[in-house]
Amino acid sequence: MSSGGEEKKQPEQKPSYTYWVRKITEDAAPLPVHNKIIDATPPPTSQSQSQLGSAWNRAGTWEEKSLNYWAIPRIKELLLSVGSIPFSSGSAQVEDVTKCVGDALVVVVRNKKRVSFTYELSLKVKGEWIIQGNNKLLAGHIDVPEISFGELDDLQVEVRLNEAPDISPQDKIEIHNNLKLFLQPIREKLLQFEQELKDR
């Protein structure tokens, strides 16, 4: 309390927030009217039509995409369609593709598309041969150690025959050579795959 008997006035506390209310009068500007925006995207030009890769990569600098989701089932489908191959003493066919390991890629570099693939394959084969006057059902595998883009002319196959103790070594060599004749139809199917990959 002061000596004059007057109490000190406490400073007025101001609110911690403020707000503004628009008073609508006749003189006030009208509220904005919302209009639907019509898609004004310009039609694609010849430059945008030739754009490769994803929308985020407009410059086409570098983009790599796996095509295994399409490539592996397609390789299996093509190889299973090889069909039966006749030999002088029998015939054989591809029964299954038991191994298809690798990658198929499409790469966009500087707005240019490039494709590549590398796979390792194993095909299960079965056949029937006439050996010493008797029909013998035999099975084995044709392994393709590597297939890669642009190198199918150099394709190599390896043959593994299942155990057959009642067949002579000479007959096994003949069956082995018979199964190597699958090389050409396998190459033709893989060349078809390569072309389809380039066209994607």
Side-chain angles (χ1 to χ4, degrees):
M1 188 176 286
S2 68
S3 59
E6 294 180 3
E7 292 184 4
K8 256 188 181 177
K9 289 186 179 179
Q10 296 293 328
E12 292 182 15
Q13 291 188 353
K14 294 184 179 179
S16 61
Y17 63 91
T18 57
Y19 62 93
W20 177 79
V21 178
R22 180 173 187 242
K23 186 177 180 182
I24 300 176
T25 63
E26 292 180 1
D27 297 333
L31 292 171
V33 178
H34 299 285
N35 294 322
K36 184 176 180 181
I37 296 175
I38 299 171
D39 185 10
T41 305
T45 61
S46 59
Q47 184 179 0
S48 63
Q49 285 173 339
S50 63
Q51 178 73 36
L52 296 173
S54 301
W56 58 265
N57 189 17
R58 293 294 184 192
T61 51
W62 175 272
E63 182 178 351
E64 184 178 290
K65 181 181 177 183
S66 172
L67 294 177
N68 273 345
Y69 69 92
W70 168 81
I72 290 176
R74 185 58 180 148
I75 288 173
K76 290 182 177 182
E77 181 182 16
L78 287 169
L79 293 177
L80 288 171
S81 71
V82 165
S84 179
I85 295 181
F87 312 120
S88 58
S89 59
S91 65
Q93 64 184 25
V94 176
E95 188 177 38
D96 193 13
V97 179
T98 57
K99 183 178 184 180
C100 184
V101 178
D103 285 298
L105 300 170
V106 58
V107 179
V108 176
V109 184
R110 295 180 182 177
N111 208 29
K112 289 185 179 178
K113 184 179 80 169
R114 298 173 185 172
V115 294
S116 67
F117 63 84
T118 303
Y119 285 101
E120 184 181 345
L121 306 173
S122 186
L123 289 65
K124 182 180 178 183
V125 291
K126 67 176 181 179
E128 185 174 0
W129 280 265
I130 300 172
I131 298 173
Q132 297 177 359
N134 298 316
N135 288 347
K136 294 283 185 181
L137 294 173
L138 298 171
H141 282 81
I142 297 174
D143 298 325
V144 187
E146 183 181 6
I147 63 167
S148 54
F149 182 84
E151 297 182 9
L152 294 176
D153 289 340
D154 301 324
L155 196 68
Q156 300 290 325
V157 298
E158 299 170 0
V159 174
R160 291 182 290 123
L161 197 61
N162 290 3
E163 287 294 326
D166 57 337
I167 295 177
S168 70
Q170 187 61 39
D171 288 330
K172 285 182 182 179
I173 291 172
E174 182 183 351
I175 294 167
H176 192 276
N177 292 334
N178 287 161
L179 293 178
K180 281 204 166 187
L181 295 176
F182 274 95
L183 173 62
Q184 185 55 32
I186 287 173
R187 180 187 285 120
E188 289 172 2
K189 295 298 182 180
L190 293 175
L191 284 168
Q192 182 181 339
F193 165 77
E194 183 175 87
Q195 186 59 51
E196 290 179 8
L197 182 65
K198 287 193 285 189
D199 293 341
R200 283 187 70 80

